[in-house]
Amino acid sequence: MKNLFVKIAAAGLLMLAPAIAQAAEGYSTANVNMRAGPSTRYPAVAVIPAGSSVEIRGCLSDVNWCDVEFYGGRGWVSGQYVQALYQQRRVYVGPQYYRPLGIPMIRFSVDNYWDRYYRNRDFYRDRDRWSRGPDYYYRDRDNRDRDNRDRDRNWRERDGNRDGRDRDRDWRDDNQRDDRQRGERQRDDRRGDDRRPDRRDFDCRPGDPTCDE
C-alpha cells in the first residue's frame, strides 16, 4: 500500500512538471513597452523599467516575442530586450534558449488573450479589427481617416459654393435694386419733363391770343 502511494505521488509530480516549467525568470535590458500583442504596432499597456524582473510565460516560435508578466500585468515584449540566466550568465532570450530555459512555445490570439487580460482597456472595443492583425487595423483606420477627410473637404467645398452662391445672389439683388431705383428716377425725370407748363407761369404780351383776358 505504501508503494502505491509513492507511485501515485510520483505520477502527480510528473503531471505537474509541465505546469511548473511554464515560466522562466527574465530581466528587461532597457525601458521597454509591454504591448498588447507581439508587435510594436499593438497598443502599449505598460512600461517595464530597465533591470526589472519579469516572468516569461512563453514565446512565439516564428518571431522573437515573448508573453511576460510584470507586477501582475500581462503583455508582450521583444526577446531582444529580455535576458535570462543560462549557465551562470545572462543571455538574450531567443529560440535557441527556449527549451534549455523551460520556456514553452505558444501562439497568440487577440480574442483569447484580450478577453483574459484587457477587457477594461479602451482599445478592447476595437478587438474585432485588431484580431485581423495590426496591419489590417491601421489600414482600416487610415481608410476611415481618409474618408473623414474627404467628407470634411466636400463639406467645406459645399459650404464654400453655397457662400459663393449667396454672395452672387446678394450682388445680383443689389444690382437689380440699383437698376430699379435708377429706372424710377429716370421715369420721374421724364414725367417732370412731360408736364405742360402753366400759362400763368408766362408773361402775356398785349395782343397775344393765347393769353387769357
Side-chain angles (χ1 to χ4, degrees), residues 79-94:
Q80 63 180 336
Y81 296 108
V82 179
Q83 288 183 333
L85 190 62
Y86 175 69
Q87 295 181 352
Q88 305 304 315
R89 62 189 179 93
R90 288 188 178 184
V91 296
Y92 282 96
V93 175

Side-chain angles (χ1 to χ4, degrees), residues 13-207:
L13 290 174
L14 290 174
M15 293 177 63
L16 290 174
I20 294 174
Q22 291 300 305
E25 187 175 6
Y27 305 88
S28 64
T29 60
N31 295 332
V32 61
N33 284 318
M34 184 170 68
R35 296 188 175 273
S39 169
T40 56
R41 294 173 70 84
Y42 281 103
V45 297
V47 176
I48 304 176
S52 299
S53 176
V54 297
E55 291 291 325
I56 306 171
R57 295 296 180 178
C59 298
L60 300 178
S61 60
D62 52 345
V63 291
N64 190 19
W65 279 78
C66 296
D67 174 20
V68 304
E69 182 176 351
F70 175 69
Y71 276 95
R74 290 287 287 272
W76 291 82
V77 177
S78 171
Q80 63 180 336
Y81 296 108
V82 179
Q83 288 183 333
L85 190 62
Y86 175 69
Q87 295 181 352
Q88 305 304 315
R89 62 189 179 93
R90 288 188 178 184
V91 296
Y92 282 96
V93 175
Q96 69 273 28
Y97 295 111
Y98 292 171
R99 185 180 295 275
L101 293 172
I103 300 173
M105 286 186 292
I106 58 176
R107 296 181 179 180
F108 171 70
S109 168
V110 166
D111 293 334
N112 295 333
Y113 199 87
W114 286 24
D115 283 345
R116 185 175 300 176
Y117 301 116
Y118 301 137
R119 284 184 176 273
N120 62 336
R121 298 282 185 156
D122 291 339
F123 55 78
Y124 181 80
R125 62 176 176 265
D126 294 325
R127 182 190 58 171
D128 291 340
R129 286 198 294 271
W130 281 107
S131 64
R132 293 182 293 170
D135 292 336
Y136 286 99
Y137 170 80
Y138 281 101
R139 186 182 66 183
D140 291 346
R141 190 192 65 175
D142 292 342
N143 289 337
R144 291 195 304 273
D145 291 343
R146 184 171 59 252
D147 291 341
N148 290 335
R149 289 193 297 269
D150 290 341
R151 284 195 295 270
D152 291 342
R153 184 171 60 252
N154 293 336
W155 179 78
R156 289 193 299 269
E157 290 176 352
R158 185 170 59 250
D159 282 357
N161 292 335
R162 185 173 62 237
D163 293 341
R165 289 194 298 270
D166 291 342
R167 286 193 297 270
D168 291 342
R169 184 171 58 248
D170 294 340
W171 180 82
R172 290 194 300 270
D173 291 343
D174 291 340
N175 286 341
Q176 290 173 358
R177 184 169 57 252
D178 293 342
D179 291 342
R180 187 168 55 252
Q181 291 174 352
R182 283 195 296 270
E184 291 175 353
R185 286 195 297 270
Q186 291 173 356
R187 286 195 297 274
D188 292 340
D189 292 342
R190 285 196 297 271
R191 282 197 299 270
D193 294 339
D194 293 341
R195 285 200 303 269
R196 295 176 62 84
D198 194 336
R199 292 177 182 174
R200 288 173 297 180
D201 294 338
F202 298 92
D203 294 332
C204 291
R205 295 179 181 178

